[in-house]
Amino acid sequence: MSETRQQDWDPRATSVLEDQIAAYDEMRSRCPVAFSDYLQWSLFRHADVMRVLEDHETFSSAASRHPSVPNAMDPPEHTRFRRLIEPYFGPEAMADFAPQCRAIAEGVIDRLPADGEIEAMAVMGQDFALEIQCAFMGWPTSLHEPLRAWVNRQQAATLAGDREVLGELALEFDGVIRELLASRREAGDAAPDDVTTRIMNETVEGRALSDAEIVSILRNWTVGELGTISASIGILMRYLAANPELQGRLRADPGLLPAAIDEILRLDAPLMSNRRITTCPVEIGGRRLEAGERLTLLWGSANRDEAVFGDPDEVHLDRDPEDNLLYGAGIHVCPGAPLARMELRHFMEALLDATIDIAPLPGQPVVRALYPAGGYSEVPLHVRR
């Protein structure tokens, strides 16, 4: 493990937290592999992040202090669980869920005022994320508000760095999932045929999944989805409000939305980072790391690397999608990417169909989210339908 080192930067400095994106842009040129007590080794460049993603033998995903299936697994264990999980996000599954996805998007958009002010993160982002995720999992609508309260408490505890409360919240969330599993077992053959029930009946290597494995899979899907989808909605709505020319172009040609969504989320990350741990001594970016050192891969920086994207703030709808690390890369690329892309496309299509204009609110600036969250905590906008 690393000895006491001098810090190259302070990720919790006020100047960094006020605008993470700008701070990461500066670090990418000044110190692209940087050490801090808070994040350990942070990687800012696209090439360095790609190297880590493609070399899972040197840079292990088993960096979590808690079981995480399959996020914190390496091959061959990771491979077995990915094989189990991927069909849930395959073309057939997405086609089946698409009508319900569109209906939920339209229902959330229908709540917009005819001509008035909204706060996009709470009114649009969080509502859509809660409703769409519960629908995909087959969970009752009665869970919407308890999950909203849980997400808010979890975000507050994360910002406060309160590990005790975070541990309690993790157990609380696991308890919610275990109650859902128990109710399905009690129902027997009458249990709903949904994603949650199907996961319960899966096997790996010829054995049934343990409850701990089922809970971990469902927790990863749900907690990750609630945060990133709501953040993505806020980022997308803010960007189109601030860029009326692109907003008009997408209204005229909705077929451009998939490329535009990925590109806007490239330059303003909804998910800021991921973790790895070294398995052996290695040199990266001119820095020497020993075995057992922790790394933070900063998507919010790598996806803005000038060496790959030129001016990172320019939106190009014809970029090579392989360069965009929005959903990661390599063997750990996000299995839920097809679902997230479909959800965001349906939401943005419904939003543009139902509105005439989305604009910033004069005198009411957006408020950036604080690490580890990406995007914004407040996005005040004016909409006309």
Side-chain angles (χ1 to χ4, degrees), residues 132-139 184 194-197 218 221-222:
I132 203 73
Q133 185 61 15
C134 284
F136 179 72
M137 302 297 290
W139 294 358
R184 281 163 167 73
D194 55 26
V195 164
T196 300
T197 301
L218 299 182
W221 287 1
T222 305

Side-chain angles (χ1 to χ4, degrees), residues 56-315:
H56 52 82
E57 293 183 358
T58 303
F59 304 98
S60 170
S61 291
S64 175
R65 293 179 174 85
H66 308 285
S68 181
V69 182
N71 305 35
M73 291 176 168
D74 295 316
E77 190 177 30
H78 170 266
T79 307
R80 293 193 287 265
F81 280 94
R82 279 293 294 236
R83 192 179 299 124
L84 178 156
I85 284 168
E86 285 178 347
Y88 287 85
F89 305 99
E92 184 177 348
M94 295 301 92
D96 288 344
F97 187 56
Q100 192 175 5
C101 180
R102 178 69 186 203
I104 291 170
E106 291 175 346
V108 172
I109 298 298
D110 280 346
R111 299 171 205 157
L112 288 171
D115 187 349
E117 301 176 1
I118 64 161
E119 198 289 288
M121 283 299 299
V123 175
M124 295 282 100
Q126 198 174 69
D127 279 8
F128 181 65
L130 286 166
E131 293 183 29
I132 203 73
Q133 185 61 15
C134 284
F136 179 72
M137 302 297 290
W139 294 358
T141 57
S142 59
L143 275 179
H144 290 171
E145 292 313 310
L147 281 177
R148 187 196 306 275
W150 184 91
V151 167
N152 292 338
R153 285 184 289 139
Q154 196 258 359
Q155 289 174 343
T158 299
L159 291 177
D162 193 329
R163 289 190 175 182
E164 182 178 350
V165 172
L166 286 170
E168 293 170 358
L169 287 168
L171 289 174
E172 179 183 328
F173 195 89
D174 288 0
V176 171
I177 297 176
R178 289 179 185 276
E179 286 180 12
L180 291 165
L181 303 186
S183 68
R184 281 163 167 73
R185 289 189 176 118
E186 186 177 342
D189 292 340
D193 180 20
D194 55 26
V195 164
T196 300
T197 301
R198 291 196 290 274
I199 282 285
M200 291 173 61
N201 294 322
E202 291 283 4
T203 61
V204 61
E205 295 290 284
R207 65 166 178 84
L209 296 183
S210 69
D211 272 13
E213 290 167 338
I214 296 169
V215 168
S216 180
I217 291 169
L218 299 182
R219 183 204 313 121
N220 284 338
W221 287 1
T222 305
V223 174
E225 183 86 349
L226 292 178
T228 54
I229 290 297
S230 59
S232 295
I233 295 298
I235 291 166
L236 292 165
M237 292 186 70
R238 185 218 69 88
Y239 193 88
L240 292 189
N243 294 271
E245 184 178 345
L246 179 61
Q247 184 183 151
R249 187 179 174 193
L250 295 176
R251 289 183 185 280
D253 187 357
L256 297 173
L257 269 170
I261 290 168
D262 276 13
E263 177 70 349
I264 293 167
L265 298 179
R266 173 197 64 77
L267 61 88
D268 199 347
L271 179 64
M272 200 56 76
S273 67
N274 203 262
R275 295 178 293 176
R276 295 292 190 275
I277 189 168
T278 55
T279 62
C280 60
V282 64
E283 184 175 301
I284 186 166
R287 308 299 292 267
R288 169 79 176 184
L289 281 65
E290 302 302 325
E293 303 223 46
R294 295 182 176 274
L295 296 86
T296 301
L297 312 183
L298 287 167
W299 311 120
S301 174
N303 250 355
R304 294 175 53 82
D305 192 333
E306 297 83 354
V308 177
F309 302 104
D311 183 342
D313 288 312
E314 286 188 358
V315 167

